[in-house]
Amino acid sequence: MDRLMLGYDYKFYSDVGVKIPIYAPIGHLIVVGGSGSGKSTSILYWIYKLKSQYCKLYIVDFKASHEFEGITDKERFGEFEDAYDVILRFYDEFMNTPEGGEECYKILLIDEIAGLLTHYSMSKDGKAKADKIRNIMFSILMLGRSRKCFLWLSMQRYTASIFPASSGSADNFHIYVGLGRLTVDGRKGLFAGEHMEGEENLQFGMGKGIVLIDGQNLRALVLPKISKKKILGLLQN
């Protein structure tokens, strides 16, 4: 499986200025980061690194942040109520992708998934949509790897309400990233009982955090210093 460069090992970068890349197999990814953590810039950077390989990218930007416009085809990009239709389009393509996958990777990025589900859950009709989205995400997490179809979720705070606790869905991500200073509950929900030696001495901030890659130990992560505007320009060309 091809690899995705997430950034650099923060401990080496901060201690001796050595840039040691952190790679992960392309897979299901979840990223948590509050305002000012550099979450959106990080996602754009990962998309930029991902696009060096053949992929089809579906983007759901429910809150219409306009941070992801112009980097994928219009029919694979949705804001506000169009978000639901884009998720359905990805699911249809996912269901029609054979075992073993095709030439390209297929990624569904849902930005601020917690807000999207909360919005739909506020009405009776919307609740059915929220349940449908959860079922779709569950299917992708369970079966996506063999089809090279992956789910990327982004949120400000990790909440167990996204998936039923009994489903085990949250355990099927391959990459967990926490940016900035996480709350105690947020860190526990994202990384469970995992501990990183010396973590209490690190100064987490914008573009800095913790990453857990399936089968590896926790590591401190720092993103390259690159502006959001520059990455967008590279992706839109």
Side-chain angles (χ1 to χ4, degrees):
M1 183 178 288
D2 293 320
R3 300 187 301 168
L4 175 67
M5 181 184 164
L6 299 174
Y8 300 111
D9 189 303
Y10 176 30
K11 295 180 73 173
F12 284 93
Y13 190 82
S14 61
D15 290 346
V16 293
V18 176
K19 294 182 178 180
I20 298 179
I22 294 179
Y23 291 96
I26 297 173
H28 302 308
L29 179 150
I30 183 169
V31 55
V32 177
S35 179
S37 66
K39 177 164 54 70
S40 296
T41 305
S42 300
I43 294 170
L44 287 169
Y45 176 74
W46 297 331
I47 291 173
Y48 170 66
K49 301 302 288 188
L50 181 70
K51 281 208 162 188
S52 64
Q53 304 177 65
Y54 185 35
C55 72
K56 292 178 73 173
L57 185 63
Y58 289 71
I59 298 177
V60 171
D61 182 13
F62 169 69
K63 292 186 176 179
S65 66
H66 307 301
E67 294 178 317
F68 304 103
E69 285 184 310
I71 59 177
T72 193
D73 295 340
K74 289 183 178 179
E75 68 271 14
R76 299 202 295 267
F77 178 82
E79 299 176 335
F80 296 121
E81 294 304 321
D82 291 337
Y84 183 68
D85 292 334
V86 171
I87 293 172
L88 293 183
R89 286 188 202 112
F90 181 87
Y91 185 60
D92 183 63
E93 181 152 2
F94 162 75
M95 292 299 293
N96 286 288
T97 300
E99 291 289 322
E102 298 175 339
E103 289 185 8
C104 67
Y105 289 99
K106 298 169 185 177
I107 306 289
L108 172 62
L109 165 64
I110 307 180
D111 188 43
E112 299 299 347
I113 177 62
L116 174 65
L117 293 174
T118 299
H119 167 76
Y120 282 130
S121 298
M122 292 174 66
S123 68
K124 184 176 180 180
D125 291 340
K127 188 177 184 302
K129 288 186 176 181
D131 289 341
K132 177 70 172 179
I133 291 170
R134 286 190 177 91
N135 289 333
I136 287 173
M137 293 193 298
F138 176 80
S139 295
I140 297 169
L141 287 171
M142 295 299 115
L143 304 172
R145 189 170 195 168
S146 64
R147 305 181 189 193
K148 293 166 64 174
C149 296
F150 298 110
L151 179 66
W152 286 16
L153 296 184
S154 161
M155 65 200 76
Q156 290 195 20
R157 297 179 184 84
Y158 181 83
T159 169
S161 66
I162 295 172
F163 300 109
S166 60
S167 71
S169 298
D171 298 329
N172 285 279
F173 286 93
H174 305 118
I175 307 165
Y176 303 79
V177 180
L179 293 173
R181 181 63 65 182
L182 300 175
T183 65
V184 173
D185 288 342
R187 189 199 181 288
K188 183 178 179 181
L190 193 60
F191 300 116
E194 297 283 343
H195 176 72
M196 182 176 65
E197 185 178 353
E199 179 181 336
E200 62 279 1
N201 299 319
L202 298 176
Q203 298 296 316
F204 293 116
M206 184 174 181
K208 300 174 183 175
I210 306 171
V211 59
L212 178 63
I213 300 167
D214 190 26
Q216 301 182 24
N217 295 323
L218 277 180
R219 297 175 73 179
L221 172 75
V222 59
L223 273 294
K225 292 182 179 180
I226 184 169
S227 72
K228 187 182 300 182
K229 183 177 180 180
K230 182 176 181 179
I231 299 176
L232 270 173
L234 291 169
L235 286 168
Q236 291 171 348
N237 289 334

